[in-house]
Amino acid sequence: VGTQDPGIMGTGVPASEQTRCAKGDPQVDCPEDAGDTEAGQVTDFESPEDKRPQSEPGYSNPEDSGQLMASYEGKAKGYQVPPFGWRICLAHEFAEKRKPFNANNVSLSNLIKHLGMGLRYLQWWYRKTQVEKKTPFIDLINCVPLRQIYGCPLGGIGGGTITRGWRGQFCRWQLNPGMYQHRTVIADQFTVCLRREGKTVYQQVLSVERPSVLRSWNWGLCGYFAFYHALYPRAWTVYQLPGQNVTLTCRQITPILPHDYQDSSLPVGVFVWDVENEGDEALDVSIMFSMRNGLGGGDDAIGGLWNEPFCLERDGETVQGLLLHHPALPNPYTMAVAARLTADTTVTHITAFDPDSTGQQVWQDLLQDGQLDSPAGRSTPSQKGAGIAGAVCVTGKLPPRGQCRLEFSLAWDMPRIMFGAKGQVYYRRYTRFFGRDGNAAPALSHYALCQYVDWEEKISAWQSPVLDDRSLPAWYKSALFNELYFLADGGTVWLEVPEDSLPEELVESMCQLRPILREYGRFGYLEGQEYRMYNTYDVHFYASFALVMLWPKLELSLQYDMAVATLREDLTRRQYLMSGVMAPVKRRNVIPHDIGDPDDEPWLRVNAYVVHDTADWKDLNLKFVLQVYRDYYLTGDQGFLRDMWPVCLAVMESEMKFDKDQDGLIENGGYADQTYDGWVTTGPSAYCGGLWLAAVAVMVQMAILCGAHDVQDKFSSILRRGQEAYERLLWNGRYYNYDCSPQPQSCSIMSDQCAGQWFLRASGLGEGDTEVFPTRHVVCALQTIFEFNVRAFAGGAMGAVNGMQPHGVPDRSSVQSDEVWVGVVYGLAATMIQEGLTWEGFQTAEGCYRTVWERLGLAFQTPEAYCQQRVFRSLAYMRPLSIWAMQLALQQQQQKKASRPVAAHGTELSTGPKLGPKEAMANPK
């Protein structure tokens, strides 16, 4: 952000066109067939005045004016720090301090509507926390507070994550699967020591903190001479040491490698320190990495924690460090702090010190000679209530005007896990390669320190085509890769599948069920760090683009798990909080809302969500059908399509009952029966009706591929009738009405009204012979959304509001209609790109990125939602991974221009079979 080239901010639209679009006040005009619909004409539809100043960044002026680096006073640019990414000075303070959404933010009218829900929730919350002693899957009483501190997480996919903040603190931990601890551990630090001619001349903890413990250490680094730069899965921190003519660049690396199903699972991170001497005197430089055993919370208080040094030599490479054993049940683990020993470096350690003391012994030990004492043997186990920490130090020689490199790793080995109910034992994916015995930390450390160069080459090969594309704006390059943090840091688990967990009858009917799950494991990620449900399917619909484009086998694995859960039932009755109705947990032949709560027993007990009975939701079944075809289209996997076909038939049969008048179009039930679970929908609606027609169209295509001619005819007939009803009932000449209720908000402009078309186009359908929604209507609706939901909302600088009334005022009829949902906005931007509105798409998405990452300080915790003022909701959420749909749309756009088969060489991902879907099905070879 601090180093963007103004010339790279464009989106490929000629400058003259950008000026015209920016300065004009275009009317949304769809003159063709504007009349003759039951939806009714919007006669008071005013084009909002464009009050946005032409000099506002990212609009008519291409220059970036992010203020995140405004405080930086240093001259250092760091060692090989890339030009693109999210960059922030360590002294930066965010001016805006928002609060989590709570009952105080609900209008009186909405409060009255949800009074029953509120009382039932309080009763449920009390029983859950005080009687069952469990953590609520959504805790509306104790929201995670705003902390504008987070940076790139460490750790691959599914082995747990540790987030290191942009100021260097280790501050967010997910070691127990799916359960987060937001705690900054003060002892977890890097410290630098510089020596000239045998004397220590500078020793500093590389932290701006001034804590009340370890007070003998030299805290309070001057943040004005340091900056952080994130381009996930790597991050750089640059420290210009005042008065020393020395610059430190710490590069953080995690093995997040697309299409890699081994190293991407490893619970490791690497820190490479490149030290540059700009002076004329030789120096000895030491970096000390200190780490507490545990987090200093209740899990540590029982005592029995202990540390020991280790040295592992293999294949001519030596790694030394400390093992921090944390035997607390039910998920014991060992942390390894390690360093690479080379001919030019010395590695020393201190096995144990008290992290809650003044720390004088450790500080003086380092100060004396730039090394640590390296006692032999293990430490004594910690006493009850006492803490224990250790440290590893690497020392190297820094010649005049020269450079040296010091390499550390952090690894953790928690091979065997149990979820909250402590019923089923699982083994993490990485144990396939490093064993299940709990002694893999040294080997993980050695492997990471020897392989990180190869990892970086693969990361560069993957990212470079995007980063080098001068037609893409700089903010997008940052957003595309940095939003991927959630695939690893979404409470993610990647597990080996127990043989007895697969029902035999389904193994026989789904040929690839066992091979996929046995070979690639079981994948789960949370709806959000605060909304603790695995694989929430209505939200995964948006986020799944990242998974299918980068780790397609994990997407297929997730789909098989969802298919298995669909065909099962749990008739245990429970009360649902919104309606108060008693109904079963899970009915057969409907898609579950989620696969379970990590504090319970996911996969065995699905549908942790108790707000609504989602068996009557209108979108879940449709989203399964759409994702199945999209996944087939992008992977070319015919076996997967054949396995999913019977499940698609079953869920569409379940969906048929929602078309009560048999006009080919389903009706919503007069409550919030879809992913917008606080926004009531009545009768035929733009969102669910559009998803329905798209799913019906996809069923026609799948029936052709599977040779099911009767099914093809059936759904073709439904599609024809449904298209006519959809256009007649909902199209008003400018856009599709929100729904068909008698309420005024039925005419609201919904930003997500084209979701069905979005998926059709992503799947190679939705135009020409497979057109479902008239293209001119889709384009006109998108232009209307851009003018009203985007430009008439918050000056056009905050993305698209979910609902906008046709006279240019946000729809406040529900608690969600006046929110901005970041993941929905990215999907909307992708739809705009698909339909040729590329400039509008980038403008729309840019508002969300700049709001979240630059204004609100919510980096690496992108929320589900924010309002125009005051609040955000549900930090660190799954849906914004939908930004990868923008990338798919761009690639498909480029491939159309090139008139060649769908293939994305630039990101090493296949966005379609070399044959078309029909030809691929007919020619399995």
Side-chain angles (χ1 to χ4, degrees), residues 559-578:
Q559 292 281 63
Y560 274 102
D561 267 338
M562 198 59 62
V564 169
T566 298
L567 300 177
R568 289 174 166 170
E569 65 182 3
D570 179 353
L571 298 180
T572 307
R573 295 178 71 80
R574 64 183 179 183
Q575 186 183 48
Y576 288 91
L577 301 180
M578 187 66 79

Side-chain angles (χ1 to χ4, degrees), residues 47-61:
S47 188
E49 183 183 355
D50 183 8
K51 299 177 181 177
R52 190 170 179 183
Q54 294 175 20
S55 59
E56 188 168 330
Y59 189 55
S60 59
N61 180 359

Side-chain angles (χ1 to χ4, degrees), residues 610-626:
V610 295
V611 179
H612 293 280
D613 176 9
T614 58
D616 286 329
W617 272 20
K618 308 308 182 288
D619 60 341
L620 287 169
N621 297 328
L622 309 175
K623 288 173 174 177
F624 179 77
V625 172
L626 289 169

Side-chain angles (χ1 to χ4, degrees), residues 485-524:
Y485 83 95
F486 193 83
L487 270 185
D489 201 19
T492 311
V493 288
W494 188 356
L495 307 171
E496 296 290 272
V497 178
E499 182 64 37
D500 59 1
S501 70
L502 301 178
E504 276 304 319
E505 68 275 13
L506 295 181
V507 168
E508 292 173 7
S509 62
M510 295 184 189
C511 298
Q512 290 189 182
L513 172 63
R514 177 177 278 144
I516 287 283
L517 288 175
R518 291 302 302 275
E519 177 62 27
Y520 296 103
R522 173 169 278 162
F523 175 84

Side-chain angles (χ1 to χ4, degrees), residues 45 81 267 286 300 302 323 351 638-639 726 729 772 776 807 863 915:
F45 192 90
V81 181
S286 300
D300 306 351
I302 57 173
L323 300 177
T351 309
Q638 304 99 330
Y726 190 77
L729 296 171
V772 175
R776 63 184 180 276
H807 54 280
L915 300 170

Side-chain angles (χ1 to χ4, degrees), residues 3 17 36 69 101 194 240 250 344 377 392 411 426 455 461 557 758 779 786-787 867 915:
T3 61
E17 182 74 4
D36 196 26
M69 284 292 286
F101 179 90
L194 300 180
Q240 182 178 321
C250 175
D344 301 317
V392 174
Y426 291 95
W455 295 343
S557 170
W758 169 37
V779 172
F786 182 68
E787 286 305 305
C867 291
L915 300 170

